[in-house]
Amino acid sequence: MSITRRDFLNGVAITIAAGMTPLDFAKAAGKASVMIGDDYYPPQLTGLRGNHPGSFEMAHAIGRDHEKFSTDHLPIEEEYDLVIVGGGLSGLSAASFWHDLAGKNSKVLVLDNHDDFGGHAKRNEFKADGKKIIGYGGSEAFQSPSRNFSDEVNGLLSTVGVSVVRMKESFDVNFYPDLKLSRGVFFDKKNFGETKIVSGDPGHAVADDIPRDKLNGRPLEAFINDFPLSESDRKAILDLHVNPVDYLKGMTADEKSAWMDTHSYRDFLVEKVGLSKMALMYFQQRTNDFFAIGIEGVSCSDARTCALPGMDAMDLPPLDEEAQADLDEPYVYHFPDGNAGLARLIVRHLIPDALPGNTMEDSITARLHYEKLDLPENSTSLRLNSMVINAANSEDGVVVTYVNDGKAHRVKGRKAIMAGYNMMIPYLVPETPEQQKADLRLNVKAPLVYTNVVVKNWQSFMQLGIHEFYSPAAPYSRVKLDYPVSMGGYQHPQNADQPMCLHMVYVPTYPGSKLSAREQFRQGRAYLLGTPFDTHEKMIRTQLQEMLGQTGFDHERDITAITVNRWAHGYSYYATALFDDMDKMPEIIERARQPIGRIAIANSDSDWDAYAHTAIDQAWRAVNELKAMG
C-alpha cells in the first residue's frame, strides 16, 4: 500500500494544500484546540493510540511532502537553558541528567508531538467490573539488566526510585505454571485448512518469563504431531528440533559464521534443511515479536539468539555474552504499564507535583496530573501536543519552532537535544551536513502494533490450557494473558472469572516479497498509517473469535475495550549483514549522532538499538557532549 500526499486520520482523509500555514495545517490535522485541564488523561483513551491521529501529519508535511513554513517573523516567546525535542525515555532521561550536571534550577523545556509523554513507553488504562486494569502499549520491560545496564542507567533508576530487585519480586513467575497453563499454537483455517489449537509447547524462548522447568510442555513428538500438517512435514519439523545435522558440513568455522550472518533463517530452512512451504509457514512469524520482521528478514545468527531450532549440531562458536544473557536471564523486570512506569517516575523526579507519592510502588495506581506538566514555575516543563518543525543554531543558542494548539511558536535554548526519530532530524534541522543526513535516514524504524483487549473473564484460556498463543500465519502472531505483576496497590487478576487484559502483537510483514528490511518497514509504515481503527478492530475480533470460539467465547459479549497502539515508527533499525555492510556500521552510527552546532542527538536510534537502557545511555552521552561545549 502506498501513501503519497494523502494521510488518513482514523479513516478520514485530509489533503495538505501547498502553501498552507502552520495554523491552517494544525487545524486540519485536528490539533486546533488541545486543552490540558484536570480532566485531561490520555492513558484512558481507547481506539488508535501510539502514533495517534494528530501526532504525525505535520511531520509528514515537512519530511515526506517537503512543505515549507515561513516562521522567521515570529518572536521568541520563551528562553531556556536546554530545549529537548522528544519526551520519550531518552528525552526525559536527558532532562534528568542535565539537572544533575547543570543544577536543579536550570530551565528545561521538553516538547513532544504526542498527547502523552513516554514515547514508545505507553500506558493504557481501563475500567472493567469496577476495577482499574493497567496495560502496556509499547516498550514493555527491562532487558537483562544485570548484563546490559551501565552505571549511568543504574544511577538514573536509583535517582527516580526504581528497584529491579523489587520489580522481580513483584512478578509471579509461577502464576500461570501453577494453573497448569502452557504456551500453545493457533493454526488458522485460512492458511492451514482447519482451525486447530495445539497446547503444551515445550520450547524455551528469548526473553522468557517462564522458568524452563515450568513450561508445562508436552514431549516434542506429541506436540508437533498434533500440528495440522502432513506426516512428512511434521517429521521434518521434529527432526529439525531433535535430530539436527550439520547443515553446513564441509565449511570451516569461519565460513559457517559468515554464511549464518549473510543468509536468512528462511534461506536456511529452504536451502539447507529442505522444508516444504507448509512446514516453513510454521516458523514464519516466530521472529515477529523480537525483531518486528519475519524469518526472511532475520539472519541465521540472529535466529540462533532467539532459540530457533536447527543449529545445535553445526559446531558453531558460543553465543556472545549479551545474546546468552537474553536467553538465560528471566524477563521479569516489568511494571504493569511496561516502561511507561519508568517514564512516570522520571517525570515525578522532574516535576514532583505531577505525580503523587514517593515510591515506585505507590506510583502504579496514582493518577498523573497532566495539567501540572507545563507550569511557569517548573524547572522542567513538559509540553505535549507540540510538533517541532524547525531547530536552528543561532549566534547565542538554538531557536526551536513548534506548532501547538493551532499556532506556531518559537522558543530559544542555550542548547538543544533532538530525542525523537533519527529520520526526522534532517528535516527538522536543515543545517545538518549532507553526509550526516544520509546516515540518519538509514535508520528506518520497524512498524508494529501492540493491542490491548480487555475481556470480561479468561475462562477460555483456562479451558484451552494456554496462557500465550503463537500464530504462524494469522495477523496477530502473539496473543497472551497479561504478565502476572502485582505491585503496590495494583493486583493482577487472580482467578479466571475476573476481567483480564490480553496483549496482542501484530507486525505488518511481506513474506516471500524479496524486500529488504528497510523496504518492508516503509511499506508496513504506510499500511499502518493508512488503516483505520475499524479495520484493526475487525482483524482483532475475527482472530480472537476463531481462536477462542470453541470454548464459548463471544467477541461481541466478552470484549469490553480495545486499544490499538500503532507504532508506524517502532523499533529502532537493527543492522544486519543481510542488508548492511557491517564493517561500515560503526562509522555510520558515529557520524549520524554527531552534534550539529549546539544541537546534540539522543535517542535509541543513535545507537541503533531498540532498548530502554540504550535510550538512557544515549541521553547521558548527548548531555555530556553539550556540557563539554561550555
Side-chain angles (χ1 to χ4, degrees), residues 96 99-100 156 159-160 344-352:
S96 181
H99 283 298
D100 290 342
L156 177 71
T159 294
V160 304
R344 283 160 51 95
L345 287 168
I346 300 174
V347 168
R348 174 194 271 173
H349 172 65
L350 296 169
I351 312 169

Side-chain angles (χ1 to χ4, degrees), residues 484-499:
V485 176
S486 297
M487 187 178 293
Y490 185 74
Q491 182 72 42
H492 180 267
Q494 294 299 294
N495 69 71
D497 291 324
Q498 295 177 312

Side-chain angles (χ1 to χ4, degrees), residues 190-201:
K190 176 182 177 182
N191 291 286
F192 293 94
E194 64 175 294
T195 299
K196 189 162 189 182
I197 304 296
V198 180
S199 64
D201 186 343

Side-chain angles (χ1 to χ4, degrees), residues 124-184:
N124 295 159
E125 286 188 22
F126 308 91
K127 277 289 183 68
D129 197 23
K131 179 186 176 184
K132 178 185 288 189
I133 293 180
I134 301 172
Y136 60 99
S139 178
E140 65 181 24
F142 297 163
Q143 183 71 56
S144 310
S146 65
R147 164 59 178 80
N148 293 336
F149 283 19
S150 65
D151 290 343
E152 290 74 28
V153 172
N154 285 323
L156 177 71
L157 297 187
S158 177
T159 294
V160 304
V162 173
S163 165
V164 294
V165 172
R166 300 205 307 274
M167 289 180 77
K168 186 175 183 178
E169 292 170 349
S170 299
F171 195 115
D172 186 355
V173 296
N174 297 314
F175 183 75
Y176 293 126
D178 286 351
L179 291 173
K180 308 305 180 185
L181 301 183
S182 67
R183 292 195 177 99

Side-chain angles (χ1 to χ4, degrees), residues 106-126:
S106 184
K107 297 288 284 185
V108 177
L109 173 66
V110 181
L111 298 165
D112 197 275
N113 56 313
H114 293 88
D115 60 13
D116 203 354
F117 60 84
H120 294 135
K122 187 66 61 183
R123 179 183 175 103
N124 295 159
E125 286 188 22
F126 308 91

Side-chain angles (χ1 to χ4, degrees), residues 1-8 14-16 60-61 63-66 526 530:
M1 180 175 184
S2 176
I3 295 181
T4 54
R5 287 180 56 82
R6 190 170 291 262
D7 285 319
F8 290 80
I14 61 168
T15 300
I16 304 168
H60 283 188
R64 189 197 58 214
D65 299 324
H66 308 295

